[in-house]
Amino acid sequence: MAARGDPPEGTPEGTPGGGDDEYRSVVFDESFVRAARLQEFSAKERMGDHSHAVRRRDPAEKPGAGSLTPRRGSLQVLLLVLVIAVAFGTAVYVGVRPPYRPAVTRSAEPLRMTVIPLAPAGAVPGDDPERLLRQSPAAKFPTGASGIPLPLARRTPHFTENEVMTALTTAKDYLVASSVDPDVLTGAERRSVRTLLDPEQRAQFDASFADPADDGRHAPAGWLVRFDPAKVALADSAVHVQGTLRFAESTPGTIDVMSDHTFVYALRPAGQSAGETAKQGASLFTVRRTLHFRFDRDDLPGHRAELLTSQVQAGPQACSREASSTLTPLLAGARAKPAGPAGTDPYATGPPTAGLCGVLDSRAQPGG
């Protein structure tokens, strides 16, 4: 009787060791079948119009499948994840940035300024700088940049918190450079102030020093605090300051910063020795500056400002009818000469001029 798997007639004669011995090393396991590139058509398929008995299989085709079935599930999942990530990132970006940031192209306006000298009613008090300060309203004023604190920056409808902080910082830098820097105060340089201005205002700035005029446009005191080094020296390098900074969005493309500060300087005559200063005494000079800055989106990254208005009250100094490139303080013991209001000719042509002068309140003086 033939064993299971043998031909019904038994093993063919003449085959040593059985018919399978010759192919015993070849094993057609499942992996071998799946890797085959050729597949025989089924009986039903062979009944069709085929010129070949086999077809070429695609490696991605499942065994026993009659048609190609690409595995697209993983690709679809990946695309879905990417779509969700892009949608989430867009939502976060739109939520963080201001919804509308208009590009505003505008020209800087010329600075409008008012400079009012304050004449003392009597002789200017003179004494040791520290003693003068203790007796004055500036006794508790901070010194230098510490007297110009920045307010809390908050975002506005069209400006981020960082942009508001940039505007405030630039305004403070301008105030420090133009009112506290000793080199600027003594006339050694003014470039540090000029570079903080909008480029379209720099020509007006230069003209104010080249040809000063009391026309509301070209008074150097409207831009910065400056003394004539041939006449005045600093008796104390510390400048006492107190004031405030405020900000507001004026238009969707601009933000305004308003400053109001009082600066107090201890002065002495230029070239005076320490002994002479101790004998005659130093004097205090007070300057109140009210400035209106405006920043657009071109100014902020350039760390520069457009100065719209500048209002200055400074004393004690004489009421002069002549425009000067520097302030002209009255020092210890000096008195202002009586001067009536400057005459104005309504028939004159050219830029209008009008001399302004105020009286320094005695309470603003040391011991007042």
Side-chain angles (χ1 to χ4, degrees), residues 296-316:
D296 59 26
R297 299 199 181 279
D298 292 331
D299 293 325
L300 291 173
H303 194 64
R304 63 199 185 202
E306 177 187 349
L307 198 53
L308 289 184
T309 61
S310 173
Q311 297 179 351
V312 180
Q313 299 174 346

Side-chain angles (χ1 to χ4, degrees), residues 89 93 255 280 283 311 320 348:
Y93 177 70
I255 185 168
Q280 182 177 348
S283 61
Q311 297 179 351
S320 174

Side-chain angles (χ1 to χ4, degrees), residues 17-40:
D20 293 337
D21 291 345
E22 183 177 354
Y23 304 99
R24 193 173 299 278
S25 61
V26 180
V27 179
F28 297 96
D29 58 3
E30 186 178 355
S31 62
F32 179 84
V33 174
R34 289 183 178 179
R37 290 300 185 91
L38 298 179
Q39 182 183 25
E40 183 180 5

Side-chain angles (χ1 to χ4, degrees), residues 68-334:
L68 296 177
T69 307
R71 297 180 178 179
R72 303 178 59 186
S74 60
L75 179 60
Q76 292 175 345
V77 172
L78 178 60
L79 290 175
L80 180 60
V81 171
L82 289 176
V83 170
I84 294 175
V86 171
F88 179 75
T90 301
V92 172
Y93 177 70
V94 172
V96 170
R97 73 188 291 269
Y100 174 59
R101 299 171 64 89
V104 178
T105 301
R106 49 182 295 276
S107 298
E109 301 177 10
L111 169 62
R112 305 184 303 276
M113 60 184 70
T114 303
V115 180
I116 302 176
L118 301 177
V124 176
D127 205 336
D128 177 77
E130 293 185 2
R131 190 176 296 110
L132 284 174
L133 285 167
R134 287 197 301 267
Q135 298 172 355
S136 77
K140 297 183 179 180
F141 282 15
T143 59
S146 62
I148 311 176
L150 296 178
L152 179 65
R154 304 182 310 274
R155 66 177 300 170
T156 65
H158 301 95
F159 288 87
T160 66
E161 180 180 328
N162 286 338
E163 288 172 329
V164 172
M165 178 57 70
T166 299
L168 291 169
T169 302
T170 304
K172 176 176 179 176
D173 290 346
Y174 184 93
L175 289 169
V176 171
S178 62
S179 309
V180 178
D181 186 348
D183 289 335
V184 173
L185 298 178
T186 57
E189 70 100 17
R190 57 177 181 268
R191 184 177 179 276
S192 60
V193 179
R194 186 180 187 274
T195 56
L196 290 170
L197 289 171
D198 187 292
E200 295 184 12
Q201 288 191 317
R202 293 173 185 172
Q204 182 188 2
F205 179 88
D206 295 338
S208 299
F209 291 90
D211 187 16
D214 186 17
D215 59 359
R217 291 289 188 274
H218 299 93
W223 301 100
L224 51 80
V225 177
R226 186 188 190 198
F227 306 113
D228 185 349
K231 300 178 180 179
V232 178
L234 296 175
D236 187 351
S237 59
V239 179
H240 294 256
V241 189
Q242 180 171 280
T244 60
L245 281 172
R246 296 179 294 109
F247 68 91
E249 182 179 314
S250 54
T251 70
T254 58
I255 185 168
D256 292 6
V257 175
M258 285 67 68
S259 70
D260 187 354
H261 292 81
T262 299
F263 301 86
V264 181
Y265 308 88
L267 305 178
R268 61 176 177 82
Q272 188 179 74
S273 65
E276 291 174 330
T277 301
K279 181 179 179 180
Q280 182 177 348
S283 61
L284 298 185
F285 188 77
T286 305
V287 179
R288 181 180 177 185
R289 305 183 73 196
T290 305
L291 307 180
H292 183 172
F293 301 89
R294 176 162 291 171
F295 301 85
D296 59 26
R297 299 199 181 279
D298 292 331
D299 293 325
L300 291 173
H303 194 64
R304 63 199 185 202
E306 177 187 349
L307 198 53
L308 289 184
T309 61
S310 173
Q311 297 179 351
V312 180
Q313 299 174 346
Q317 62 178 332
C319 296
S320 174
R321 300 187 184 186
E322 297 181 0
S324 173
S325 61
T326 62
L327 294 169
T328 55
L330 292 173
L331 301 177

